[in-house]
Amino acid sequence: METDNWKIVYENWLPEEQAHREALCTLGNGYFAARGAAEESSADGVHYPGTYLAGGYNRLRSEVAGRTIENEDLVNWPNWLSLNFRHPNENWFGLAEVTIIYFRKELDLKNGTLHRHLRFRDQNGRETSLKSTRLVSMAQPHIAALQWELTPENWSGIIEICSALDGTVKNKGVARYQALNDQHLEITATGNDETQHYIYLEARTNQSEISMAQVARTRFYSEFPAQSPLYALEQRANYVAHAFQIPCENQKTVRIEKVVVLYTSRDFAISEPLLEARRAVEHAPDFSELLAAHSLAWQHLWHRCDLVVATNDRTQQILRLHIFHLLQTVSLHTADLDVGIPARGWHGEAYRGHIFWDELFIFSFLNLRLPELARELLMYRYRRLPEARFAARGAGYRGAMFPWQSGSNGREESQVIHLNPKSGNWLPDDTYLQRHINAAVAYNVWHYFQTTGNSEFLNLYGAEMIFEIALFWASLASWSEEKQRFEIKGVVGPDEYHTRYPDAETPGLNNNAYTNFMAVWVLDVALQLSEIIGEKRQAELFEKLKISAAELERWEQISRQMFIPFINHTKQVISQFEGYEALQELDIRKYRETEGKMLRLDRILEKEGLDINRYKASKQADVLMLFYLFSTEKLLDIFTRLGYDFKPEHIFANIIYYEKRTTHGSTLSKIVYSWVLARSNRKRCWGDFQTALLSDIEDIQGGTTSEGIHLGAMAGSVDLVQRCFTGLVMSNHELLLNPVLPDKIYYLELRLKYLGNWLSVKLTQQKLVVAADPDWKNEICLNFRGKMHTLRAGDVQEIDL
Amino acid sequence: METDNWKIVYENWLPEEQAHREALCTLGNGYFAARGAAEESSADGVHYPGTYLAGGYNRLRSEVAGRTIENEDLVNWPNWLSLNFRHPNENWFGLAEVTIIYFRKELDLKNGTLHRHLRFRDQNGRETSLKSTRLVSMAQPHIAALQWELTPENWSGIIEICSALDGTVKNKGVARYQALNDQHLEITATGNDETQHYIYLEARTNQSEISMAQVARTRFYSEFPAQSPLYALEQRANYVAHAFQIPCENQKTVRIEKVVVLYTSRDFAISEPLLEARRAVEHAPDFSELLAAHSLAWQHLWHRCDLVVATNDRTQQILRLHIFHLLQTVSLHTADLDVGIPARGWHGEAYRGHIFWDELFIFSFLNLRLPELARELLMYRYRRLPEARFAARGAGYRGAMFPWQSGSNGREESQVIHLNPKSGNWLPDDTYLQRHINAAVAYNVWHYFQTTGNSEFLNLYGAEMIFEIALFWASLASWSEEKQRFEIKGVVGPDEYHTRYPDAETPGLNNNAYTNFMAVWVLDVALQLSEIIGEKRQAELFEKLKISAAELERWEQISRQMFIPFINHTKQVISQFEGYEALQELDIRKYRETEGKMLRLDRILEKEGLDINRYKASKQADVLMLFYLFSTEKLLDIFTRLGYDFKPEHIFANIIYYEKRTTHGSTLSKIVYSWVLARSNRKRCWGDFQTALLSDIEDIQGGTTSEGIHLGAMAGSVDLVQRCFTGLVMSNHELLLNPVLPDKIYYLELRLKYLGNWLSVKLTQQKLVVAADPDWKNEICLNFRGKMHTLRAGDVQEIDL
């Protein structure tokens, strides 16, 4: 791999790495995506879908393990990348059938393009160069394009080109979902226009009835000959193509452009999809103009979003890859699509596009750069508030209960059984009991406000969400006479290994420390809201949500008397849940030696007939999430409020205790560990940071990247640099900076938008420089380790560290 | 009519007034609507559609006047109001077939409900009371409900109830569209659930392919008997109903509740429409709970939006009616629908739901109360910027050219021919040449920013629109060697009577003063934008839009050297367009005497074989729009910039000149006249205000209200009170107040949101009181006739007038 920090380059052809590379090299613009080897599908046998669309969900029934279950999946739209050539009466080109003389694949992060340069010799001794360039336009959301430059190196003659829209795609990207129904599309029409300028394909999802139209225009340019080819239409089931012949001359390059437009019935500002797609293809300029506009859009994005990091390793390059994927998943083009933040991007099939809590790791990046997008993502939750209300009511609670895995309409879509690929067993899945997702929603609403100062959003939508979630927590909490405290029973924490007590008949654990603490935090925030939204608006919302003075009194009580379990003999270490310390210890090191570093210990034990619920072994950070989400000050504040004597020096004891017992079966875990170690142990912090950084580029979980990139870990690694290493904390009245830069980083530079104003931060081991953009309208209070600096338009503040 | 200012009451049954009343009494929540007499359809023969949905457009081909034309229409969804009863083996109830003993219809503006109370005697001497209450929920956008309370007054016996979803609706509300194709729907399924709890109907628009599901649940409650009735399903073409029998006892009231849910394929947060509609009906509470939530939502809206006006006439009541309809058309529930502001609400068929420039008269109301909605409405235009770019390029211009009548996808949907009902002739229509719509879009973007201070929106979206529109104006303008000034040729101004020069072969006029002035204003604003969005963002946009330094120089030149025509002999009166003064005078009074006050003189003359283009006769304010849109200071500022010696005292001469020559063929015209007269002639201003106020409630254009309320005039009348009578001007650094309260108003009170802060204004003839809400975060500068007052949280400023 080259050291160019703006590029990911592969210079060898390794078919066995193909799926992983294709996931990393997926292009997208938030609206649709181009993934995979379709362009060379005949070569590697891997047939990934060409396009996914946010919001294109479909719910299908399957027969699995002797029972009927229903699952909702993100739909793969038909593959538009399909383009191939052959010599007449020979096989279509395929990488496996030629001798590769030169191979280079390059993901250009700066310009958002994927380039492939091949030189190969076929079985008849003909040598050919093929350069391809691919883009999914960041300037025009409905457009994608593919360019081929084909050069005969030692031959002349006619070649046949086939440019297709292929609707035979299924959902086949995740091996353990193979038993599930994967046929999501019905192709409703295919054809071409009278002038043969383009082909089209219309499809409809077979349950959710979303319709889609793709239109493709294929043109070729060559010095020889001048006349245009005869296009022949090829139609077969769920497939349409234009085929044509091009005369080629030795050493003369033929250029082929394929421009594709996608519209769906859920788009704004349309009459109907096919009509719009046709018009758009007619108006579409040629490849070079599309590329120029696309590249400019990326330049502007990078200006807002880049992070300059100088180290002796690949940190810079990988951080850019992570930012790149984040911006491809959440872009200005998703703003109108009513989508959330999917765990695996829009182009990975794992988790079926469902929305979990990953936004907790992603929002800070957006709040500080593209706050309008963050607002739209919060609206995604707001629009599902009615469904969350039904869910709460159905479960016997008040307020709103957001689901752990949120599907298209905001319904709980957590699987009810899941496959252990290690054992082949289908097992019950109780992870839906992760009620802590509700705290994450409230946390994100609150921090969006703290960073942007957008009180209008809080007023109109955000406060209502926080109040509804507060109502939920208050109705979930119950008074324990024995403890003389409130408690929350029957839930699951972030550590999904533990879903019930050993031998218990019903799932759920009592007093998960993270959940209880977060509930207290939500109630505390809810009690403060009137200061921001005003008494009048609060009174309106209380009328609407039927919140009484007695209810507020209860919130106050719960937020002062919630039970938090501690490991008894330490009095300092927070217990992951009540009863955790009674579990058996497990020799995790033993398993690490045989099974690798990133363990799915639950699956390994289950295969051995053992239940992970019996052991002190965690999949990922649970208690430690608290140290990740809150500053020490805030943490102590809440513990004091609760009457617990928790001291800053206890934090490290907690880290030590859980580090030994955690397998990091989630990529998010290393983010959290690196974060919580940053101030106490910079060396170990750097190691965990690097592990998190490599999650996808090295596919450290062994094959999960091909199922979709890990967006939370990607954004989390960026957030570590931007907030943790700089000690950045935003509140709606001051910006705190307290850098603790790891030794390995020589220089760090970033731009941030805080309370509507752009500022730049430059940091070395010795110096911090904060500069205000010249167009600031108001002043901002910068708090550096307790010392206040007032920043005004154009100010540059230099601080020695 | 009663004097209760929160109610519109009709106490007599006048079948001939029915269409007009039904338009005024339409209920809606921005998502869908309930209009009309469907409930009593058998009685009055009028069968209005029950529901319209914003965004449900459909384009159909028709054979008209020997040619094939295509028109886009707003679609009427199936009628859900259909509910009726009969005595076994008799006719279904109908108002025309009974003797009416008592009749009262009441639109309750405060609670958003429509009530009807009837007592009647049938041909068999049975007397019955029937009270109905109707709502379209402002709390839950997808739900509407209808309640009947039926009381036998002198009989007992069984009655049959029929509760239907009727998909046989067509677009038949506008007589002069009768030649056009009106069949927009295909009903795709009807049925009921197994438990007979509800009926459903699914439909699809036949060109735009939007699908829709309606589900209705009908329940009855009576003291006698307790058992529930047997529901029978009635299905026929495009129609489904539940029919059942209820035993009634003399003097005992039977209550029937019909709850209906509507979803379409364009909704957010859904899986598919029927699935969501079914779930929603299952979760729906009973009528009283729906009513309570609905009524509370209206209370909260009124708290933001009411305007208290004390006079001796109906002003207060009618202003509330106007605000009511505005809030029913643009509500929080339209925010996710990608809709603009239609000229006739969403429940009138006139103008087919197209988006004109009415937002120019409506935005101020929203900016000052519901700025988040104003933002969404601006996004409606932003989403159609690509289409406006295609249109500009297609017409040979740069930038973006928004259409005069904007359809679903932002395409020009102005009719190419229109019917003159007076003569029966179909005539060419060139009103699409009203390029001034582009200035209105820019004006709205700018004033949204001035009122809200939301620079984020300007930065991300608004500035791009203004620059693109500036590019358009600059490319439309050309240099005249003769005049040594820039000019704009071939357009039409707001006065649609004049579309070409007499005997000209091509349509369009040169140098429409309003258009030229607005172009200058747009260019001036565009040149100022960098101060707000910053140099960096401006540079980005210039790169994207390919705006060079030379282009900016050209903007500067045009904005200083644009030609504005004046009437030669006056040197003071602006000429509506170049050549206007050469037209013939027309004795408008003569026509007023025979044809009434609000003339469509174009149609009258055409019937007489004359061309209105020959005469100095205007449909509506054109030049005078300038005095309406700009303060005198701003006006003089731009005239000075242009090197014209225009003085404040010239304004009145302009008013006098055009007043004589204007027929007020648009309801907007009286708004503008009242506004421009407010400071010079309070008496005549009040007269014009009252005429504007009565536009719909008195149907002053004689039948146009039944085709849909006039939203621009409604909002304009409210805006006259809120901004013109108070002299309210918002800029992003100060709030100007300079009240000139008409004698007839004793007291005026309103609440406004300015730069994110709520304040209240109370005004008498002697005193102005401005009070800041207690939760203000920053201070605001209040400018009262040049004197500055700083307002902070909780401040109350009393000023003697």
Side-chain angles (χ1 to χ4, degrees), chain B residues 79-113:
Chain B
N79 169 23
W80 64 266
L81 280 169
S82 183
L83 183 66
N84 212 339
F85 87 99
R86 68 174 174 187
H87 298 278
N89 304 317
E90 297 183 22
N91 287 338
W92 290 101
F93 163 74
L95 275 172
E97 293 171 33
V98 297
T99 305
I100 296 171
I101 301 166
Y102 179 75
F103 179 94
R104 181 186 162 91
K105 191 162 193 166
E106 176 186 304
L107 177 65
D108 179 338
L109 302 170
K110 194 167 201 168
N111 297 295
T113 47

Side-chain angles (χ1 to χ4, degrees), chain B residues 122 135 145 228 241 253 262 317 324 357-358 366 390 418 425 451 461 510 526 535 586 589 593 595 601 664 717 758 795:
Chain B
D122 67 20
L135 66 89
S228 84
T253 299
L262 173 76
Q317 180 198 39
F324 179 75
W357 70 333
D358 300 76
L366 298 173
F390 291 153
H418 73 249
N425 295 332
T451 309
Y461 306 108
N510 299 336
E535 295 286 347
L586 189 74
R589 276 176 309 176
E593 279 158 21
E595 303 272 352
L601 208 51
H664 305 294
S717 68
W758 280 101
D795 279 359

Side-chain angles (χ1 to χ4, degrees), chain A residues 355-629:
Chain A
I355 310 303
F356 297 65
W357 70 334
D358 299 76
E359 54 209 57
L360 196 57
F361 300 84
I362 292 167
F363 249 74
S364 290
F365 183 84
L366 298 173
N367 285 339
L368 287 164
R369 288 169 186 82
L370 296 159
E372 289 264 326
L373 291 189
R375 181 191 172 283
E376 277 308 314
L377 290 161
L378 292 173
M379 284 304 293
Y380 178 82
R381 294 293 189 179
Y382 184 79
R383 293 189 191 106
R384 285 153 183 80
L385 196 50
E387 183 65 35
R389 286 186 182 118
F390 291 153
R393 205 198 305 165
Y397 305 119
R398 290 192 66 192
M401 183 173 84
F402 284 94
W404 173 239
Q405 295 195 26
S406 186
S408 57
N409 55 2
R411 196 164 40 178
E412 176 65 80
E413 282 289 346
S414 294
Q415 61 277 24
V416 288
I417 53 173
H418 73 251
L419 177 70
N420 180 358
K422 292 253 175 213
S423 66
N425 295 333
W426 286 86
L427 308 163
D429 190 328
D430 301 312
T431 53
Y432 72 92
L433 284 170
Q434 290 181 78
R435 303 300 182 211
H436 64 81
I437 178 75
N438 288 281
V441 172
Y443 185 94
N444 289 329
V445 170
W446 184 246
H447 284 269
Y448 166 76
F449 168 68
Q450 294 294 325
T451 310
T452 64
N454 182 351
S455 60
E456 188 71 27
F457 174 82
L458 202 63
N459 206 294
L460 221 47
Y461 305 109
E464 187 173 350
M465 284 195 270
I466 293 176
F467 285 140
E468 285 285 65
I469 293 169
L471 267 177
F472 167 68
W473 286 125
S475 69
L476 188 60
S478 57
W479 177 253
S480 160
E481 277 300 327
E482 184 198 333
K483 295 187 177 84
Q484 286 292 301
R485 278 189 175 268
F486 287 92
E487 54 183 357
I488 294 176
K489 294 180 167 181
V491 302
V492 168
D495 165 27
E496 295 175 322
Y497 283 177
H498 295 98
T499 57
R500 66 177 72 200
Y501 288 104
D503 304 321
E505 283 189 13
T506 53
L509 301 161
N510 300 335
N511 295 309
N512 170 260
Y514 173 71
T515 303
N516 287 20
F517 190 98
M518 293 304 287
V520 168
W521 178 85
V522 171
L523 293 170
D524 184 32
V525 163
L527 289 166
Q528 293 170 44
L529 274 180
S530 73
E531 286 165 35
I532 298 156
I533 63 170
E535 296 286 349
K536 282 181 190 166
R537 178 59 181 154
Q538 169 151 316
E540 262 187 18
L541 286 169
F542 281 11
E543 254 188 312
K544 176 177 176 183
L545 309 177
K546 302 193 172 85
I547 297 174
S548 63
E551 179 68 31
L552 278 193
E553 181 52 38
R554 186 174 156 84
W555 293 3
E556 183 73 36
Q557 284 168 7
I558 297 172
S559 77
R560 294 187 180 280
Q561 298 179 67
M562 179 68 88
F563 173 65
I564 305 283
F566 283 84
I567 302 286
N568 264 335
H569 72 276
T570 68
K571 304 275 187 199
Q572 298 175 352
V573 175
I574 301 163
S575 183
Q576 188 174 311
F577 52 84
E578 194 177 7
Y580 179 86
E581 66 183 324
L583 303 182
Q584 298 171 42
E585 293 284 1
L586 188 73
D587 187 358
I588 295 178
R589 275 176 309 176
K590 186 187 80 182
Y591 289 97
R592 281 217 181 100
E593 280 159 21
T594 55
E595 304 270 352
K597 272 190 176 174
M598 309 300 281
L599 290 172
R600 279 302 299 264
L601 208 51
D602 53 338
R603 293 177 179 171
I604 296 164
L605 292 190
E606 194 272 335
K607 191 186 172 193
E608 296 176 3
L610 300 173
D611 180 4
I612 188 89
N613 276 305
R614 297 190 177 281
Y615 302 98
K616 285 178 184 154
S618 297
K619 182 182 171 199
Q620 67 194 91
D622 193 311
V623 166
L624 266 50
M625 282 298 298
L626 296 175
F627 312 139
Y628 169 67
L629 291 178

